[in-house]
Amino acid sequence: MQSFTEENYLKVIYHLAEKTNNVQTNAIAEQIQTKPASVTDMIKKLAEKELVDYIKYQGVTLTDKGRHAAVDIVRKHRLWEVFLVDKLNFKWDEVHDVAEELEHIKSVNLIERLDEFLGFPKSDPHGDPIPDKNGRFTKTQFIKLIELKIGDSGTITGVSQHSSAFLKHLEKLGLTLGKQIKISDVTDFDGSVEILIEEKQINISREVAKHILISNNGKN
């Protein structure tokens, strides 16, 4: 059984591994906000438990055992986020830190009942897929809003930036999950995008647009 700290490391490595095969200790240190030497010490402990494979200067990879543990943590985190938003009326920018605490609950029975109680949700309040009890994800096809062309339309499916400030900004603009949007214009100079949403025109920066995920895109 892993400690809270070990579980946090496994989750961070899992998320970093979605972008690169060999995760570097400096990247982990940046995410955990600690010194690289401390990361190396923890990685050695995880390697002893056969949760990661570590080769000095080449990076860290999760073993099958480590990936299973990491996916289980991700599953609990995202289920708790759904519960907090759907049942306790938290906003989507408020749930991450609370779910960070709840994800360490060990009771398998509780999590299975939570999943059933919520109706077996496929994604969390930010659009991230929730693995089932066997660790399987439902694949969601999406495209970044920044990649759409003038005249393209679609549904906001998720976000790739989860900071509270970013989510509050989207909430203020009305750019929340499930909203239908259409691209009216793209500015060549700075890449800002003009969007039609609920018969209202809004303008967003390129930085915002690249973190909004869209599905069912097409020409209207």
Side-chain angles (χ1 to χ4, degrees):
M1 186 174 293
Q2 298 87 44
S3 67
F4 285 11
T5 302
E6 289 171 342
E7 288 185 343
N8 286 335
Y9 268 81
L10 290 174
K11 187 175 68 169
V12 165
I13 295 168
Y14 172 81
H15 287 311
L16 289 171
E18 292 181 309
K19 302 174 184 178
T20 180
N21 290 330
N22 291 313
V23 178
Q24 300 300 313
T25 54
N26 284 341
I28 299 171
E30 184 177 342
Q31 291 293 314
I32 299 286
Q33 296 185 330
T34 190
K35 297 177 181 178
S38 298
V39 172
T40 300
D41 290 341
M42 176 57 71
I43 293 304
K44 289 177 179 178
K45 291 180 182 178
L46 295 175
E48 288 173 1
K49 292 187 175 184
E50 299 181 343
L51 294 166
V52 302
D53 288 323
Y54 172 59
I55 301 176
K56 195 173 183 180
Y57 305 122
Q58 293 187 29
V60 182
T61 56
L62 292 170
T63 62
D64 288 342
K65 180 180 176 182
R67 186 183 184 283
H68 177 80
V71 169
D72 185 56
I73 300 160
V74 169
R75 167 176 160 76
K76 289 187 286 186
H77 182 101
R78 293 176 180 174
L79 282 172
W80 283 120
E81 287 195 336
V82 174
F83 175 76
L84 292 167
V85 170
D86 289 1
K87 304 302 179 182
L88 298 186
N89 299 318
F90 279 71
K91 293 183 178 180
W92 68 340
D93 60 282
E94 298 175 326
V95 296
H96 179 76
D97 288 346
V98 182
E100 285 273 295
E101 298 179 32
L102 294 169
E103 71 187 23
H104 298 293
I105 292 174
K106 303 298 184 184
S107 173
V108 175
N109 190 31
L110 172 61
I111 300 305
E112 294 312 310
R113 290 194 182 194
L114 177 64
D115 193 16
E116 182 179 7
F117 176 68
L118 295 172
F120 305 103
K122 301 299 183 186
S123 60
D124 72 10
H126 310 110
D128 294 317
I130 299 174
D132 64 20
K133 63 182 180 181
N134 297 312
R136 294 189 296 256
F137 289 85
T138 299
K139 291 291 184 181
T140 302
Q141 297 297 322
F142 62 80
I143 187 172
K144 294 178 182 179
L145 191 152
I146 196 66
E147 297 172 359
L148 299 180
K149 308 298 182 185
I150 296 174
D152 287 354
S153 62
T155 304
I156 298 176
T157 304
V159 293
S160 59
Q161 162 64 268
H162 293 172
S163 73
S164 179
F166 180 73
L167 296 174
K168 284 179 179 178
H169 182 61
L170 294 189
E171 187 90 31
K172 185 177 180 180
L173 294 173
L175 296 174
T176 51
L177 298 191
K179 291 293 181 69
Q180 302 288 322
I181 62 99
K182 182 177 180 179
I183 307 300
S184 301
D185 195 16
V186 179
T187 303
D188 291 336
F189 174 67
D190 60 2
S192 60
V193 183
E194 189 173 278
I195 299 171
L196 177 65
I197 177 170
E198 297 180 339
E199 300 183 354
K200 180 176 68 175
Q201 296 280 0
I202 64 171
N203 191 277
I204 62 173
S205 68
R206 177 182 177 83
E207 184 65 23
V208 169
K210 75 180 185 180
H211 290 297
I212 298 175
L213 309 178
I214 302 294
S215 65
N216 302 322
N217 59 296
K219 292 279 186 181
N220 275 357

mmCIF file of all heavy atoms in Angstrom, residues 171-209:
data_model
loop_
_atom_site.group_PDB
_atom_site.id
_atom_site.type_symbol
_atom_site.label_atom_id
_atom_site.label_comp_id
_atom_site.label_asym_id
_atom_site.label_seq_id
_atom_site.Cartn_x
_atom_site.Cartn_y
_atom_site.Cartn_z
ATOM 1 N N GLU A 171 -15.788 30.621 -17.077
ATOM 2 C CA GLU A 171 -17.126 30.742 -16.482
ATOM 3 C C GLU A 171 -17.696 32.136 -16.748
ATOM 4 O O GLU A 171 -18.870 32.284 -17.113
ATOM 5 C CB GLU A 171 -17.036 30.493 -14.975
ATOM 6 C CG GLU A 171 -18.364 30.428 -14.261
ATOM 7 C CD GLU A 171 -18.939 29.030 -14.205
ATOM 8 O OE1 GLU A 171 -18.174 28.058 -14.164
ATOM 9 O OE2 GLU A 171 -20.178 28.936 -14.199
ATOM 10 N N LYS A 172 -16.865 33.145 -16.580
ATOM 11 C CA LYS A 172 -17.287 34.531 -16.803
ATOM 12 C C LYS A 172 -17.700 34.757 -18.255
ATOM 13 O O LYS A 172 -18.653 35.501 -18.542
ATOM 14 C CB LYS A 172 -16.149 35.481 -16.423
ATOM 15 C CG LYS A 172 -16.508 36.956 -16.489
ATOM 16 C CD LYS A 172 -15.333 37.816 -16.018
ATOM 17 C CE LYS A 172 -15.693 39.296 -16.079
ATOM 18 N NZ LYS A 172 -14.556 40.146 -15.614
ATOM 19 N N LEU A 173 -16.991 34.095 -19.172
ATOM 20 C CA LEU A 173 -17.296 34.232 -20.604
ATOM 21 C C LEU A 173 -18.460 33.344 -21.051
ATOM 22 O O LEU A 173 -18.960 33.491 -22.166
ATOM 23 C CB LEU A 173 -16.052 33.878 -21.432
ATOM 24 C CG LEU A 173 -14.840 34.804 -21.306
ATOM 25 C CD1 LEU A 173 -13.650 34.228 -22.056
ATOM 26 C CD2 LEU A 173 -15.181 36.210 -21.814
ATOM 27 N N GLY A 174 -18.854 32.413 -20.172
ATOM 28 C CA GLY A 174 -19.918 31.477 -20.544
ATOM 29 C C GLY A 174 -19.420 30.295 -21.345
ATOM 30 O O GLY A 174 -20.205 29.559 -21.941
ATOM 31 N N LEU A 175 -18.104 30.078 -21.357
ATOM 32 C CA LEU A 175 -17.508 28.988 -22.131
ATOM 33 C C LEU A 175 -17.352 27.751 -21.236
ATOM 34 O O LEU A 175 -16.258 27.383 -20.826
ATOM 35 C CB LEU A 175 -16.159 29.422 -22.701
ATOM 36 C CG LEU A 175 -16.203 30.558 -23.714
ATOM 37 C CD1 LEU A 175 -14.800 31.001 -24.099
ATOM 38 C CD2 LEU A 175 -16.983 30.145 -24.958
ATOM 39 N N THR A 176 -18.460 27.094 -20.948
ATOM 40 C CA THR A 176 -18.469 25.931 -20.071
ATOM 41 C C THR A 176 -18.840 24.681 -20.859
ATOM 42 O O THR A 176 -19.272 24.754 -22.016
ATOM 43 C CB THR A 176 -19.451 26.143 -18.912
ATOM 44 O OG1 THR A 176 -20.728 26.541 -19.429
ATOM 45 C CG2 THR A 176 -18.953 27.234 -17.967
ATOM 46 N N LEU A 177 -18.660 23.512 -20.230
ATOM 47 C CA LEU A 177 -18.889 22.253 -20.921
ATOM 48 C C LEU A 177 -20.304 22.167 -21.484
ATOM 49 O O LEU A 177 -21.270 22.557 -20.831
ATOM 50 C CB LEU A 177 -18.658 21.068 -19.966
ATOM 51 C CG LEU A 177 -17.256 20.889 -19.388
ATOM 52 C CD1 LEU A 177 -17.158 19.532 -18.707
ATOM 53 C CD2 LEU A 177 -16.183 21.026 -20.442
ATOM 54 N N GLY A 178 -20.376 21.641 -22.693
ATOM 55 C CA GLY A 178 -21.675 21.436 -23.330
ATOM 56 C C GLY A 178 -22.159 22.598 -24.171
ATOM 57 O O GLY A 178 -23.137 22.459 -24.922
ATOM 58 N N LYS A 179 -21.487 23.747 -24.076
ATOM 59 C CA LYS A 179 -21.919 24.909 -24.852
ATOM 60 C C LYS A 179 -21.530 24.753 -26.326
ATOM 61 O O LYS A 179 -20.458 24.280 -26.659
ATOM 62 C CB LYS A 179 -21.290 26.192 -24.293
ATOM 63 C CG LYS A 179 -21.820 26.596 -22.925
ATOM 64 C CD LYS A 179 -23.274 27.009 -23.001
ATOM 65 C CE LYS A 179 -23.808 27.436 -21.634
ATOM 66 N NZ LYS A 179 -23.216 28.691 -21.166
ATOM 67 N N GLN A 180 -22.451 25.166 -27.208
ATOM 68 C CA GLN A 180 -22.221 25.125 -28.646
ATOM 69 C C GLN A 180 -21.538 26.420 -29.080
ATOM 70 O O GLN A 180 -21.958 27.512 -28.676
ATOM 71 C CB GLN A 180 -23.550 24.979 -29.386
ATOM 72 C CG GLN A 180 -24.352 23.740 -29.012
ATOM 73 C CD GLN A 180 -23.725 22.473 -29.556
ATOM 74 O OE1 GLN A 180 -23.209 22.448 -30.671
ATOM 75 N NE2 GLN A 180 -23.792 21.404 -28.772
ATOM 76 N N ILE A 181 -20.500 26.290 -29.889
ATOM 77 C CA ILE A 181 -19.798 27.484 -30.370
ATOM 78 C C ILE A 181 -19.594 27.404 -31.884
ATOM 79 O O ILE A 181 -19.626 26.321 -32.475
ATOM 80 C CB ILE A 181 -18.427 27.664 -29.663
ATOM 81 C CG1 ILE A 181 -17.481 26.468 -29.945
ATOM 82 C CG2 ILE A 181 -18.615 27.829 -28.167
ATOM 83 C CD1 ILE A 181 -16.474 26.715 -31.025
ATOM 84 N N LYS A 182 -19.398 28.571 -32.490
ATOM 85 C CA LYS A 182 -19.062 28.649 -33.913
ATOM 86 C C LYS A 182 -17.991 29.715 -34.089
ATOM 87 O O LYS A 182 -18.050 30.780 -33.470
ATOM 88 C CB LYS A 182 -20.302 29.006 -34.745
ATOM 89 C CG LYS A 182 -20.025 29.056 -36.249
ATOM 90 C CD LYS A 182 -21.293 29.334 -37.037
ATOM 91 C CE LYS A 182 -20.999 29.379 -38.534
ATOM 92 N NZ LYS A 182 -22.235 29.625 -39.331
ATOM 93 N N ILE A 183 -16.992 29.420 -34.924
ATOM 94 C CA ILE A 183 -15.900 30.364 -35.167
ATOM 95 C C ILE A 183 -16.336 31.403 -36.191
ATOM 96 O O ILE A 183 -16.650 31.072 -37.337
ATOM 97 C CB ILE A 183 -14.636 29.638 -35.677
ATOM 98 C CG1 ILE A 183 -14.242 28.499 -34.738
ATOM 99 C CG2 ILE A 183 -13.489 30.647 -35.842
ATOM 100 C CD1 ILE A 183 -13.935 28.922 -33.325
ATOM 101 N N SER A 184 -16.366 32.677 -35.758
ATOM 102 C CA SER A 184 -16.768 33.767 -36.652
ATOM 103 C C SER A 184 -15.581 34.397 -37.367
ATOM 104 O O SER A 184 -15.673 34.791 -38.529
ATOM 105 C CB SER A 184 -17.509 34.851 -35.856
ATOM 106 O OG SER A 184 -18.653 34.332 -35.226
ATOM 107 N N ASP A 185 -14.453 34.494 -36.640
ATOM 108 C CA ASP A 185 -13.291 35.147 -37.237
ATOM 109 C C ASP A 185 -12.033 34.767 -36.451
ATOM 110 O O ASP A 185 -12.107 34.426 -35.268
ATOM 111 C CB ASP A 185 -13.473 36.669 -37.222
ATOM 112 C CG ASP A 185 -12.495 37.392 -38.149
ATOM 113 O OD1 ASP A 185 -11.900 36.718 -39.024
ATOM 114 O OD2 ASP A 185 -12.338 38.618 -37.998
ATOM 115 N N VAL A 186 -10.889 34.812 -37.116
ATOM 116 C CA VAL A 186 -9.591 34.591 -36.488
ATOM 117 C C VAL A 186 -8.676 35.732 -36.912
ATOM 118 O O VAL A 186 -8.534 36.005 -38.105
ATOM 119 C CB VAL A 186 -8.965 33.242 -36.900
ATOM 120 C CG1 VAL A 186 -7.601 33.073 -36.243
ATOM 121 C CG2 VAL A 186 -9.877 32.082 -36.540
ATOM 122 N N THR A 187 -8.072 36.401 -35.950
ATOM 123 C CA THR A 187 -7.202 37.541 -36.240
ATOM 124 C C THR A 187 -5.796 37.054 -36.574
ATOM 125 O O THR A 187 -5.168 36.366 -35.769
ATOM 126 C CB THR A 187 -7.135 38.496 -35.037
ATOM 127 O OG1 THR A 187 -8.460 38.920 -34.704
ATOM 128 C CG2 THR A 187 -6.279 39.718 -35.354
ATOM 129 N N ASP A 188 -5.322 37.406 -37.762
ATOM 130 C CA ASP A 188 -3.991 36.982 -38.190
ATOM 131 C C ASP A 188 -2.893 37.524 -37.287
ATOM 132 O O ASP A 188 -1.897 36.846 -37.015
ATOM 133 C CB ASP A 188 -3.731 37.441 -39.634
ATOM 134 C CG ASP A 188 -4.597 36.703 -40.645
ATOM 135 O OD1 ASP A 188 -5.036 35.578 -40.322
ATOM 136 O OD2 ASP A 188 -4.827 37.245 -41.733
ATOM 137 N N PHE A 189 -3.058 38.735 -36.807
ATOM 138 C CA PHE A 189 -1.999 39.415 -36.056
ATOM 139 C C PHE A 189 -1.628 38.675 -34.771
ATOM 140 O O PHE A 189 -0.456 38.405 -34.517
ATOM 141 C CB PHE A 189 -2.424 40.845 -35.724
ATOM 142 C CG PHE A 189 -1.460 41.573 -34.836
ATOM 143 C CD1 PHE A 189 -0.194 41.905 -35.283
ATOM 144 C CD2 PHE A 189 -1.810 41.910 -33.526
ATOM 145 C CE1 PHE A 189 0.708 42.568 -34.462
ATOM 146 C CE2 PHE A 189 -0.916 42.564 -32.695
ATOM 147 C CZ PHE A 189 0.348 42.898 -33.171
ATOM 148 N N ASP A 190 -2.608 38.329 -33.949
ATOM 149 C CA ASP A 190 -2.294 37.726 -32.653
ATOM 150 C C ASP A 190 -2.977 36.379 -32.414
ATOM 151 O O ASP A 190 -2.838 35.783 -31.345
ATOM 152 C CB ASP A 190 -2.651 38.687 -31.514
ATOM 153 C CG ASP A 190 -4.139 39.050 -31.487
ATOM 154 O OD1 ASP A 190 -4.901 38.525 -32.318
ATOM 155 O OD2 ASP A 190 -4.526 39.859 -30.616
ATOM 156 N N GLY A 191 -3.701 35.882 -33.428
ATOM 157 C CA GLY A 191 -4.338 34.574 -33.288
ATOM 158 C C GLY A 191 -5.566 34.562 -32.405
ATOM 159 O O GLY A 191 -6.081 33.487 -32.069
ATOM 160 N N SER A 192 -6.060 35.743 -32.006
ATOM 161 C CA SER A 192 -7.281 35.778 -31.195
ATOM 162 C C SER A 192 -8.465 35.302 -32.036
ATOM 163 O O SER A 192 -8.452 35.381 -33.266
ATOM 164 C CB SER A 192 -7.531 37.190 -30.649
ATOM 165 O OG SER A 192 -7.679 38.119 -31.701
ATOM 166 N N VAL A 193 -9.475 34.781 -31.347
ATOM 167 C CA VAL A 193 -10.592 34.122 -32.031
ATOM 168 C C VAL A 193 -11.910 34.765 -31.630
ATOM 169 O O VAL A 193 -12.172 34.994 -30.444
ATOM 170 C CB VAL A 193 -10.644 32.615 -31.673
ATOM 171 C CG1 VAL A 193 -11.764 31.920 -32.437
ATOM 172 C CG2 VAL A 193 -9.305 31.948 -31.961
ATOM 173 N N GLU A 194 -12.741 35.047 -32.619
ATOM 174 C CA GLU A 194 -14.091 35.556 -32.356
ATOM 175 C C GLU A 194 -15.069 34.389 -32.454
ATOM 176 O O GLU A 194 -15.066 33.648 -33.432
ATOM 177 C CB GLU A 194 -14.460 36.650 -33.361
ATOM 178 C CG GLU A 194 -15.759 37.372 -33.020
ATOM 179 C CD GLU A 194 -16.025 38.554 -33.927
ATOM 180 O OE1 GLU A 194 -15.449 39.636 -33.670
ATOM 181 O OE2 GLU A 194 -16.777 38.375 -34.904
ATOM 182 N N ILE A 195 -15.876 34.231 -31.423
ATOM 183 C CA ILE A 195 -16.764 33.069 -31.301
ATOM 184 C C ILE A 195 -18.205 33.522 -31.172
ATOM 185 O O ILE A 195 -18.517 34.501 -30.479
ATOM 186 C CB ILE A 195 -16.402 32.239 -30.054
ATOM 187 C CG1 ILE A 195 -14.977 31.705 -30.151
ATOM 188 C CG2 ILE A 195 -17.366 31.084 -29.855
ATOM 189 C CD1 ILE A 195 -14.503 31.080 -28.858
ATOM 190 N N LEU A 196 -19.095 32.781 -31.820
ATOM 191 C CA LEU A 196 -20.528 32.965 -31.615
ATOM 192 C C LEU A 196 -20.993 31.897 -30.638
ATOM 193 O O LEU A 196 -20.840 30.710 -30.877
ATOM 194 C CB LEU A 196 -21.287 32.816 -32.938
ATOM 195 C CG LEU A 196 -22.823 32.919 -32.840
ATOM 196 C CD1 LEU A 196 -23.218 34.337 -32.394
ATOM 197 C CD2 LEU A 196 -23.460 32.586 -34.189
ATOM 198 N N ILE A 197 -21.537 32.333 -29.500
ATOM 199 C CA ILE A 197 -22.056 31.413 -28.503
ATOM 200 C C ILE A 197 -23.372 31.964 -27.969
ATOM 201 O O ILE A 197 -23.429 33.106 -27.499
ATOM 202 C CB ILE A 197 -21.043 31.181 -27.356
ATOM 203 C CG1 ILE A 197 -21.626 30.261 -26.285
ATOM 204 C CG2 ILE A 197 -20.549 32.474 -26.751
ATOM 205 C CD1 ILE A 197 -20.627 29.792 -25.243
ATOM 206 N N GLU A 198 -24.418 31.171 -28.104
ATOM 207 C CA GLU A 198 -25.756 31.572 -27.658
ATOM 208 C C GLU A 198 -26.133 32.947 -28.206
ATOM 209 O O GLU A 198 -26.575 33.838 -27.472
ATOM 210 C CB GLU A 198 -25.836 31.540 -26.126
ATOM 211 C CG GLU A 198 -25.642 30.140 -25.553
ATOM 212 C CD GLU A 198 -25.725 30.104 -24.035
ATOM 213 O OE1 GLU A 198 -25.527 31.163 -23.396
ATOM 214 O OE2 GLU A 198 -25.991 29.006 -23.503
ATOM 215 N N GLU A 199 -25.923 33.109 -29.523
ATOM 216 C CA GLU A 199 -26.266 34.331 -30.257
ATOM 217 C C GLU A 199 -25.501 35.564 -29.765
ATOM 218 O O GLU A 199 -25.905 36.701 -29.988
ATOM 219 C CB GLU A 199 -27.784 34.591 -30.190
ATOM 220 C CG GLU A 199 -28.602 33.451 -30.789
ATOM 221 C CD GLU A 199 -30.084 33.738 -30.783
ATOM 222 O OE1 GLU A 199 -30.491 34.781 -30.216
ATOM 223 O OE2 GLU A 199 -30.847 32.927 -31.337
ATOM 224 N N LYS A 200 -24.376 35.316 -29.091
ATOM 225 C CA LYS A 200 -23.539 36.417 -28.612
ATOM 226 C C LYS A 200 -22.134 36.246 -29.150
ATOM 227 O O LYS A 200 -21.593 35.142 -29.160
ATOM 228 C CB LYS A 200 -23.535 36.423 -27.078
ATOM 229 C CG LYS A 200 -22.688 37.534 -26.459
ATOM 230 C CD LYS A 200 -22.816 37.535 -24.937
ATOM 231 C CE LYS A 200 -22.180 36.284 -24.340
ATOM 232 N NZ LYS A 200 -22.176 36.316 -22.853
ATOM 233 N N GLN A 201 -21.542 37.337 -29.610
ATOM 234 C CA GLN A 201 -20.175 37.314 -30.113
ATOM 235 C C GLN A 201 -19.209 37.648 -28.982
ATOM 236 O O GLN A 201 -19.389 38.654 -28.288
ATOM 237 C CB GLN A 201 -20.007 38.342 -31.247
ATOM 238 C CG GLN A 201 -20.828 38.070 -32.490
ATOM 239 C CD GLN A 201 -20.212 37.016 -33.390
ATOM 240 O OE1 GLN A 201 -19.157 36.471 -33.096
ATOM 241 N NE2 GLN A 201 -20.876 36.706 -34.500
ATOM 242 N N ILE A 202 -18.191 36.807 -28.799
ATOM 243 C CA ILE A 202 -17.147 37.117 -27.821
ATOM 244 C C ILE A 202 -15.782 36.900 -28.478
ATOM 245 O O ILE A 202 -15.667 36.146 -29.444
ATOM 246 C CB ILE A 202 -17.257 36.261 -26.542
ATOM 247 C CG1 ILE A 202 -17.024 34.769 -26.866
ATOM 248 C CG2 ILE A 202 -18.584 36.464 -25.841
ATOM 249 C CD1 ILE A 202 -16.900 33.912 -25.616
ATOM 250 N N ASN A 203 -14.783 37.570 -27.945
ATOM 251 C CA ASN A 203 -13.429 37.442 -28.469
ATOM 252 C C ASN A 203 -12.532 36.853 -27.394
ATOM 253 O O ASN A 203 -12.556 37.310 -26.251
ATOM 254 C CB ASN A 203 -12.906 38.813 -28.916
ATOM 255 C CG ASN A 203 -11.621 38.707 -29.714
ATOM 256 O OD1 ASN A 203 -10.539 38.604 -29.150
ATOM 257 N ND2 ASN A 203 -11.741 38.738 -31.030
ATOM 258 N N ILE A 204 -11.761 35.823 -27.744
ATOM 259 C CA ILE A 204 -10.844 35.215 -26.780
ATOM 260 C C ILE A 204 -9.427 35.192 -27.364
ATOM 261 O O ILE A 204 -9.241 35.173 -28.581
ATOM 262 C CB ILE A 204 -11.269 33.783 -26.384
ATOM 263 C CG1 ILE A 204 -11.269 32.865 -27.608
ATOM 264 C CG2 ILE A 204 -12.632 33.786 -25.715
ATOM 265 C CD1 ILE A 204 -11.525 31.396 -27.264
ATOM 266 N N SER A 205 -8.452 35.186 -26.489
ATOM 267 C CA SER A 205 -7.054 35.184 -26.920
ATOM 268 C C SER A 205 -6.652 33.805 -27.439
ATOM 269 O O SER A 205 -7.317 32.791 -27.158
ATOM 270 C CB SER A 205 -6.141 35.571 -25.760
ATOM 271 O OG SER A 205 -6.143 34.548 -24.773
ATOM 272 N N ARG A 206 -5.557 33.770 -28.147
ATOM 273 C CA ARG A 206 -5.003 32.506 -28.625
ATOM 274 C C ARG A 206 -4.649 31.593 -27.449
ATOM 275 O O ARG A 206 -4.860 30.385 -27.497
ATOM 276 C CB ARG A 206 -3.756 32.776 -29.467
ATOM 277 C CG ARG A 206 -3.042 31.513 -29.964
ATOM 278 C CD ARG A 206 -1.794 31.843 -30.758
ATOM 279 N NE ARG A 206 -1.123 30.618 -31.143
ATOM 280 C CZ ARG A 206 -1.442 29.875 -32.197
ATOM 281 N NH1 ARG A 206 -2.444 30.248 -32.986
ATOM 282 N NH2 ARG A 206 -0.777 28.769 -32.481
ATOM 283 N N GLU A 207 -4.136 32.182 -26.357
ATOM 284 C CA GLU A 207 -3.739 31.410 -25.186
ATOM 285 C C GLU A 207 -4.938 30.690 -24.575
ATOM 286 O O GLU A 207 -4.828 29.534 -24.149
ATOM 287 C CB GLU A 207 -3.094 32.332 -24.141
ATOM 288 C CG GLU A 207 -2.555 31.623 -22.906
ATOM 289 C CD GLU A 207 -1.396 30.684 -23.206
ATOM 290 O OE1 GLU A 207 -0.715 30.867 -24.234
ATOM 291 O OE2 GLU A 207 -1.180 29.750 -22.398
ATOM 292 N N VAL A 208 -6.078 31.360 -24.522
ATOM 293 C CA VAL A 208 -7.303 30.733 -24.006
ATOM 294 C C VAL A 208 -7.793 29.666 -24.983
ATOM 295 O O VAL A 208 -8.133 28.544 -24.588
ATOM 296 C CB VAL A 208 -8.400 31.791 -23.761
ATOM 297 C CG1 VAL A 208 -9.747 31.115 -23.487
ATOM 298 C CG2 VAL A 208 -8.025 32.680 -22.592
ATOM 299 N N ALA A 209 -7.803 29.995 -26.262
ATOM 300 C CA ALA A 209 -8.343 29.094 -27.277
ATOM 301 C C ALA A 209 -7.600 27.768 -27.354
ATOM 302 O O ALA A 209 -8.194 26.726 -27.640
ATOM 303 C CB ALA A 209 -8.323 29.781 -28.645
#
